[in-house]
Structures are given as structure tokens and as C-alpha cells.
Amino acid sequence: MKTRSNHLTTALTAAVAGLACAAASPHAKAAKAELHVEVSTHTMPGMGGLGALGRLTGNMSGGSATYGQARHPGMPGRYLDIALDNDARPGAPATQAVPKDLRLGKSIDLRAPERSTSAASGSNDGGGIPGLDEDRSYEIRYYWGCGDASRTGQPRKVTTTVRNGKPATSGSAPQPRAMPQLGVTVDPGLALWPNPSSRKAVSGKASLVGAHSVTGDGLAQAIEFEIDRAQDFMPDLDLKSEGSASEGITLGWNGVDGARAYFIHAMGMDGDTIVLWSSSEDGYAGPELMAYLPGNTVSQWLGTRTLLSPEARRCSIPKEIFAAEPMVQMIAYGGTRTIEGQDWRVHLRNKSTAMLMGSGMGAGAISGEAAKEGARKTGKDTAKGLLRGLIGR
């Protein structure tokens, strides 16, 4: 028995030692390199020449693109963000060969981002409330659901007073929906496009369809994959508004090819009152939903009627919720797909969004400088920043 016990002990010790060596060995299986490809189409219906300008330049900075615009587009156009997360060589440059129809040449360079200096320069950290007056109380009203009249039990109300740029709040605000975290947070360990050395805006006629290949230091093999039309830039979301705030606003839109679901959020201001509404039928949902969603979450939220079905083409904002035409944001959720190789994964995501600026957003409450900033930024950022300042989200 003793001999058998010794043999067992020796075998276990050897096994544990082997596992430890494998974990410590540089030849142990490394984490896979992750390539994130995010595409977005954004429109601002009714903006006339601005829409054409947006498609020509990509944004208001004269045609230069920056990483992150696909998630939060400001001006009309097509946007592309690519991030390589390679643990073997964090931040090492890479080159991605792309199809000619992308209209960016034969290849694009992925480079590490520049270190941000915004915190050191004293920029707004999101805790204040730009454009709103100090020592002044605001009431926030929450509504939800399409229809001619608001539901019983609405609105939910919160009162907040701004002091030293911070909110003092009374009442119970609906909590933001828990959103699945997709993509990456920008840091020097990534290789990105666009980047400081490559800022060319994507053409309004660009297409990602075709073969792609990523090569670079630290990649055991080239990341080679194909993008089909299901993951290409989605068509424009042509959102239209009819009616009036007092009699009810009817929103209508085209069917977007590839859309798995839709969601709408609106925001308006009337003096000291801020009004928020969403198309969700199962309780208020906020601008946090103006983002990429994985397929299982889309399916789940279609079932709970948080999202509108892909067959939906109209939604009415109940009358007398808004004092004037609100700022309206809408999203058509595209598909998500993961392609896996031996040493890498590619994550593909797409969406199409639209924004109507409206006439009742910030009149008499938001300063001219804040209004200019709102034109440069996406509606999602504008609404989320305002809410974060008002109720500490």
C-alpha cells in the first residue's frame, strides 16, 4: 500500500508540475488576437445640404476621421472603427489589406492611439451640467410606449437642483438598462484605425464586402477573413416626423435591409422641465440603447417589447408629452458575427442610426456654446451627458 501511495503521490506531483510549467512556458497556448470591426451609417433627415456635406467630409473637422465615430457618429455619413487587441505585442502596428470598394486604397495602417491629454487640460469630466443654470430646479419627466395617449402611471418624475455643477435630486428615476459591453476601451495597448497618421473619412459609397487580411508583429499568422453584405454598411435610416406635439407626433421610417429590430428615444425641454420618452413598451429605456447589441439581447428584448420589431414602420409619440418637436434618435440594429481562426478572432458589428434635431431641445435653457457642441456630438452623447449631470448616472 505504501508503494502504491508513493507512486500516486509522485504522479500527482508530476502532473501539477507539468501544469505549472505549461502555464509558465512561453510556448504555452497564447490568448487569441482579437480584431474588432465596427461599422455605422448615420443620417440627419431634413438637414438638406448639411447631409450632403456630412457625406462628403465625414464630420465637421474638414474630412478627418477619428476612432470612436462608428459608435457615436455626429454628422451624416458612413463610419468605420477597427481595433486590434494583440496580447503578444500590445500596441504593435499592423496593416490591413482591404477591398478596393472600401475606397481607402489597397491597405490601411493600424496604429496605437496617442495618449489623451483631456484630463490634464481640465476638460469636463461629465459630472457637471453644461448649459444649465446654477441654483435652479429642474423637473425630469419619463414616458414610454408608442400610442395616442400616455400609459396609466406616467410620467415618472424627478426633481433636481444644480449647485456648483452637481445635482441634488429628489424622486426615483428609472435605472438605465444593463447593456452588454461590446468592443474595446481605447488604450495604448491597441492598434487602431482611424489613427493620427491615417484619418481619411469613409466615402458614402464605400463597401467592406470582400477579402481582408491583417498582418503585423506579434501575429502568429495573418488574420484572413471575408465580409459579406450582411456585415457591410447598412442603408440609410430615413426617419420622418408628422403631426404636432399638442396633437401627437407620428414617426415613420423605411425598412432598413439587415435590421433585426428598432428603437427610438426622444428628448425635449420646456423651461425648467426636461421630458424623455422612448418607444419601449416594458418601461422606460434611455439613450444607452443607441449602441451595438448582440443577437441574443436583441432577441430577448424583442420578446419583452423593449425593441420594435423589424416589420415596424410607424410609432406615435403620445400627444401633449412634449411642448414642441423634440430631438429624436433612432437605431436599426444590425447583426453581430464572430469569425474564428486558429490564433485569432474577428468580431463584426453594424448599425444604422438617424437623428431629428427638433425645435424643443434646449430652447431658453441651453447656451449657444452648448448648442454648437450638440451639433458636433451625437445625440446619444448629448442626452447621456445631460442626464449624467442631472441625476448622477
Side-chain angles (χ1 to χ4, degrees), residues 40-42 51-58 76-79 101-104 201-207 232-236:
S40 179
T41 305
H42 184 59
L53 176 63
R55 283 173 172 75
L56 176 65
T57 65
R78 292 186 172 185
Y79 296 88
D101 287 344
L102 187 53
R103 300 171 181 244
L104 292 175
V202 175
S203 164
K205 297 181 179 180
S207 173
D232 199 10
F233 296 98
M234 297 174 70
D236 288 355

Side-chain angles (χ1 to χ4, degrees), residues 249-282:
I249 298 170
T250 298
L251 302 171
W253 59 92
N254 59 314
V256 176
D257 290 344
R260 299 196 57 197
Y262 300 99
F263 174 76
I264 310 170
H265 183 268
M267 179 177 184
M269 297 189 71
D270 180 19
D272 297 340
T273 301
I274 300 168
V275 181
L276 306 171
W277 168 89
S278 84
S279 59
S280 170
E281 293 290 338
D282 68 335

Side-chain angles (χ1 to χ4, degrees), residues 119-355:
S121 63
S123 64
N124 193 323
D125 64 0
I129 311 175
L132 298 184
D133 295 338
E134 290 286 318
D135 297 320
R136 179 175 173 183
S137 294
Y138 296 86
E139 181 180 80
I140 309 171
R141 300 177 184 173
Y142 298 87
Y143 296 86
W144 58 92
C146 303
D148 296 330
S150 59
R151 311 295 199 271
T152 301
Q154 296 186 28
R156 289 182 63 177
K157 298 180 181 180
V158 172
T159 300
T160 186
T161 301
V162 183
R163 293 192 178 91
N164 298 320
K166 303 295 182 181
T169 303
S170 63
S172 176
Q175 292 299 308
R177 300 291 174 115
M179 295 289 292
Q181 296 301 307
L182 299 179
V184 293
T185 300
V186 175
D187 66 53
L190 302 174
L192 308 176
W193 189 92
N195 56 65
S197 64
S198 181
R199 296 185 181 274
K200 185 176 180 180
V202 175
S203 164
K205 297 181 179 180
S207 173
L208 286 159
V209 172
H212 296 249
S213 178
V214 181
T215 56
D217 293 342
L219 291 175
Q221 59 177 315
I223 301 176
E224 297 182 337
F225 60 100
E226 295 259 350
I227 292 182
D228 58 25
R229 298 204 176 276
Q231 297 301 150
D232 199 10
F233 296 98
M234 297 174 70
D236 288 355
L237 178 55
D238 187 13
L239 178 63
K240 291 183 170 59
S241 175
E242 299 176 351
S244 65
S246 61
E247 297 180 357
I249 298 170
T250 298
L251 302 171
W253 59 92
N254 59 314
V256 176
D257 290 344
R260 299 196 57 197
Y262 300 99
F263 174 76
I264 310 170
H265 183 268
M267 179 177 184
M269 297 189 71
D270 180 19
D272 297 340
T273 301
I274 300 168
V275 181
L276 306 171
W277 168 89
S278 84
S279 59
S280 170
E281 293 290 338
D282 68 335
Y284 177 76
E288 65 272 9
L289 269 68
M290 300 293 296
Y292 299 101
L293 286 179
N296 58 346
T297 301
V298 171
S299 297
Q300 176 187 346
W301 285 356
L302 279 171
T304 58
R305 300 180 71 192
T306 305
L307 306 180
L308 298 170
S309 77
E311 291 77 32
R313 296 293 180 269
R314 295 174 71 83
C315 172
S316 295
I317 300 177
K319 62 183 179 181
E320 298 178 345
I321 286 182
F322 293 103
E325 188 176 352
M327 179 182 74
V328 179
Q329 306 165 78
M330 184 172 182
I331 181 169
Y333 299 99
T336 57
R337 179 188 175 198
T338 296
I339 305 171
E340 190 156 356
Q342 182 177 347
D343 298 301
W344 50 263
R345 295 187 188 93
V346 177
H347 305 282
L348 305 172
R349 294 176 274 274
N350 60 357
K351 59 184 172 71
S352 184
T353 56
M355 182 168 68

Side-chain angles (χ1 to χ4, degrees), residues 44-48 239 356:
M44 296 177 70
M47 295 300 285
L239 178 63
L356 302 175

